[in-house]
Amino acid sequence: MSAIWGDYDQAGLDAQYNLRAAVPAFPKIAIAWRDASDRVIERLQAAGQARLGVAYGPGNRQRFDIFLPAQRGDPVPALIFIHGGYWQAMTKEDFAYLAPAFVDRGVAFVTIDYDLCPTVRMTALVAQVATAIATIARQAAGWDIDPSRLVLSGHSAGGHLTALMLLRDWAKDGFDRPPVRAGLAMSGLFELEPIRLSYLNDVLRLDPAEVEDLSPRARLRPVEPRLLLAVGARETDEFRRQQADFARAWKNVGNRLEIIDLPDRHHFDAVDAMGERGYPLHERLLDLVKNGAG
């Protein structure tokens, strides 16, 4: 077969983005995430530290969950998390297991949900995430969260959405400056053309206009928030290329960037590093949320 993207033919490109085939243990990993998350949700809800299913729109999935520190005096900073799943799977409840690593150290943890493809097009999904972030920023004070200390994060498709949100023109949403001061994009997808050309588009139904409009690589401009990037050393070549290309382009327009190495991590255990105390990614992210972009 002839090449359709770089040196990849169809089978080769599909293999680069077929993460469940690349990590056969994924079903067990996903079950472990959800089991741990269910226990966290039950415990924090019983302790009065959870605000579950806060609506930002009319749909059943247009909700976010807030997990708060037990001890609160002054308003606390918050880390907002956008889950992955190739824009077509997973839910906010799968990632509540990350919350204790932050709430136990004085940081609120907010997980966003959104409608999935093919129920909606990706354009509508992106708009929902922007509405969720705007809602969190505007209502933060009511949950004892400091709206001036919001940091965004996301994994995989959530990394793509994080990058888009950092590049968004928030003035059209009524903000004088971006509502988030920094973002972590883990294992992100910053160029959507290879996604359109892959098997994933059977569900996503991206067209060339959406690829251009929704690729962070194509929307680069100088912005205020700092970007952190991280990708597992054991991820596929395409995921590592996506980050390397985007990192160069982000810096070339004068934006602030940090890259945090994730040695020996594949696509699915990379996200675990966010919540592992003592791990460099977790400690840097915690410092960023608590003390500012620097």
Side-chain angles (χ1 to χ4, degrees):
M1 296 177 65
S2 59
I4 62 169
W5 175 258
D7 294 330
Y8 297 110
D9 61 16
Q10 188 68 64
L13 183 63
D14 288 348
Q16 286 292 308
Y17 288 101
N18 190 342
L19 299 172
R20 298 190 183 194
V23 184
F26 171 74
K28 292 182 179 179
I29 292 170
I31 291 170
W33 283 346
R34 188 55 182 262
D35 287 348
S37 292
D38 287 346
R39 292 192 297 272
V40 166
I41 291 170
E42 182 179 8
R43 176 170 63 83
L44 294 182
Q45 188 175 25
Q49 294 175 246
R51 309 287 184 270
L52 304 178
V54 180
Y56 66 85
N60 290 335
R61 290 185 63 99
Q62 293 171 45
R63 302 287 187 270
F64 52 81
D65 293 341
I66 305 168
F67 302 98
L68 295 162
Q71 301 297 323
R72 300 190 297 279
D74 295 331
V76 297
L79 178 67
I80 303 167
F81 180 76
I82 309 171
H83 71 79
Y86 272 150
W87 309 275
Q88 60 186 274
M90 309 302 290
T91 180
K92 58 182 171 57
E93 287 84 5
D94 293 313
F95 295 93
Y97 77 94
L98 295 168
F102 296 96
V103 301
D104 291 349
R105 300 178 74 178
V107 171
F109 188 75
V110 185
T111 53
I112 294 175
D113 231 343
Y114 46 85
D115 288 325
L116 300 174
C117 300
T119 302
V120 297
R121 296 195 71 88
M122 193 183 294
T123 298
L125 184 159
V126 170
Q128 288 180 12
V129 171
T131 299
I133 292 168
T135 302
I136 294 165
R138 291 186 177 117
Q139 299 182 11
W143 305 304
D144 295 326
I145 291 173
D146 183 349
S148 71
R149 293 196 290 167
L150 302 178
V151 170
L152 190 60
S153 61
H155 175 249
S156 197
H160 160 260
L161 294 164
T162 295
L164 278 184
M165 294 302 109
L166 297 191
L167 292 165
R168 186 176 179 83
D169 178 8
W170 287 98
K172 63 185 180 182
D173 300 288
F175 290 90
D176 295 332
R177 60 188 306 178
V180 293
R181 62 185 182 180
L184 164 67
M186 296 185 64
S187 308
L189 296 146
F190 310 107
E191 188 175 17
L192 296 183
E193 181 63 5
I195 303 301
R196 187 184 72 84
L197 295 172
S198 78
Y199 77 99
L200 293 164
N201 213 40
D202 293 345
V203 172
L204 300 176
R205 299 179 298 176
L206 288 166
D207 59 37
E210 278 186 304
V211 165
E212 178 70 17
D213 189 48
L214 300 180
S215 291
R217 180 70 178 80
R219 297 180 62 171
L220 276 168
R221 63 185 183 90
V223 294
E224 181 181 343
R226 176 188 294 271
L227 174 65
L228 274 63
L229 291 175
V231 66
R234 294 170 55 202
E235 301 206 41
T236 66
D237 290 345
E238 267 293 281
F239 270 84
R240 289 184 281 111
R241 179 202 64 80
Q242 286 251 10
Q243 175 169 296
D245 286 357
F246 189 64
R248 283 191 295 269
W250 182 269
K251 289 183 69 175
N252 283 344
V253 298
N255 291 329
R256 294 181 294 171
L257 174 70
E258 296 179 45
I259 297 175
I260 300 178
D261 294 331
L262 300 177
D264 300 322
R265 298 280 172 150
H266 56 63
H267 186 79
F268 298 111
D269 64 3
V271 68
D272 296 341
M274 280 184 58
E276 293 179 13
R277 300 177 197 194
Y279 198 93
L281 175 65
H282 172 70
E283 297 302 327
R284 178 63 186 110
L285 187 56
L286 189 70
D287 177 67
L288 184 66
V289 180
K290 297 179 78 168
N291 300 316

